[in-house]
Amino acid sequence: MEFKDLISHCKEYGFIYPSSEIYDGLSAVYDYGPYGSELKNNIKSYWWKSMVQMHENIVGIDAAIFMHPKTWKASGHVDAFNDPLVDNKDSKKRYRADQLIEGYAEKIEEKINKDVAKAKEKFGTSFDEVMYRATNPRVLERQAEIDTVLKRMNEALKVGDMEGLKQVIEDCEIPCPESGSRNWTEVRQFNLMFNTQLGNIAGEEGKLYLRPETAQGIFVNFLNVQKSTRQKIPFGIAQIGKAFRNEIVARQFIFRMREFEQMEMQFFIRPGEEMKWYEYWKETRLKWHLALGTPSSKLRFHDHDNLAHYANAAVDIQYEFPFGFRELEGIHSRTNFDLSQHQELSGKKLQYFDPELNENYVPYVVETSIGCDRMFLAMISESLQEEKVPDADGNESTRTVMKLHPCLAPNKVAVLPLLKNKEELTKAASDVFDTLKKKFLCQYDEKDAIGRRYRRQDAIGTPYCVTIDFETLENNTVTLRDRDTLQQIRVSIDEISKIVGEKVDYSNII
Ligand code: GAP
């Protein structure tokens, strides 16, 4: 399925709408519809259960979005949370300089892939791709160009050399993707934090930021939580909440938004133990993704080329979105940077007394940070598909189905009377619905032919359809249709909730 069809599907079936659409929308801001909010809540539940419920040494909090402005000075976001911005003077379009350069490198990569595909076609089964990539002079030349350009970019980014970035754009003669013009402004730093003003304080003093990460709400509460829960190091604090970034270029639907939600966990550890816990969380988080049935070929680790100002090691878990492998989650070893900075700026001690070592120290932190919306997009990308299935007459037809993991599916069961105008069927179906809705989110649907109703449920990922027919009236049995296998089995009404319950039970995946 093409990406634009996925976006249309999300709108048509009530998963995601553009924000304030009647006013032509607001760029990179989206609203979740009825099924979207259920799916998003289920993703959050899976994360919370895995991280908080399953770990005795991880507790959750819900900190405010607004924080004292000094928080962001201490964390480094006021001075260093910047992206390199460049404008095209002709098209008046604004870009991230690093993304323009990466786009240039991707185009060369595409040329390499084309050469490889051509050679494959020419040489057939005797073709050795690894050997070809390692020895073909044209491929090597192109790869060397990619490496040089990206190396120059990374070096410039590392030291904040905006002139260096501009020089790369000029040397590579990168055109504006919109107009083809090469008439660029200077590259300059652009801070990604949104700000607003406290009502009762004028000027800089009253300047507030919308948090660009949830993590700082955890850092400033570190001692409060440790004292009130009597946790011993190592322990973690988890949080799910909104974050805001004034992204220069926000594209690819909900992949890069200006208002989004993060699920973050800060794990407080002894100094010197960070690499052990970094490896532990890398592995644990990858398992979390795999448990949902995402194939391992579509997930990979990618070490950061440029470390954020707070990190001494960082890796992304990338997922293969319809537009390529991109960051889904980050695992960062943040040292004691944040706690030390807050200690310095607030003048309050943020130390832990380790009874085993009999010493005080500022703990180190390994964090796991995943965007809820990105996870949502990964799940929709993975599960939404078109497939050929036999229809009621035995002919082949195409259905659109969302094969979401049953734990994540918005509705768990649809209850469908075979016919709408037979009161005895609709009454029996309503009774089944009233019983099941106490346990699961269910849907009652009597409109249209049964085949169309099945298709509607497939399109929103409902794992089971229960159909009430004339046999139900005789022996209290129904047909239970499985979304993925299309198998229909006859079961007694009393059995439905056990069968569905087992399938949607989070203990299958946590
Ligand atoms: N506390 C660390 C932190 O915020 P990050 O790599 O900047 O690290 C973590 O963000 C995760 O948040 C990313 O892996 C991504 O899933 C999500 N994220 C970041 N910016 C986003 C945006 N503009 N839109 C949607 N999700 C975003």
Side-chain angles (χ1 to χ4, degrees), residues 212-213 215 245 247 254-257 260 262 264 310 327-330 332 334 367 369-371 374:
E213 61 169 7
R245 293 184 191 178
E247 299 284 355
I254 56 168
F255 180 80
R256 197 174 297 285
M257 302 158 88
F260 57 101
Q262 287 186 317
E264 297 201 296
Y310 49 71
E327 173 183 354
L328 173 59
E329 167 156 13
H332 312 127
R334 291 181 79 131
E367 83 171 345
S369 173
I370 175 166
R374 258 187 217 182

Side-chain angles (χ1 to χ4, degrees), residues 58-69:
I58 299 183
V59 292
I61 64 163
D62 182 10
I65 288 172
F66 290 139
M67 300 182 70
H68 194 286

Side-chain angles (χ1 to χ4, degrees), residues 159-171:
V159 293
D161 175 10
M162 297 297 109
E163 279 173 25
L165 283 178
K166 171 86 188 288
Q167 200 55 54
V168 177
I169 293 175
E170 280 179 357
D171 293 348

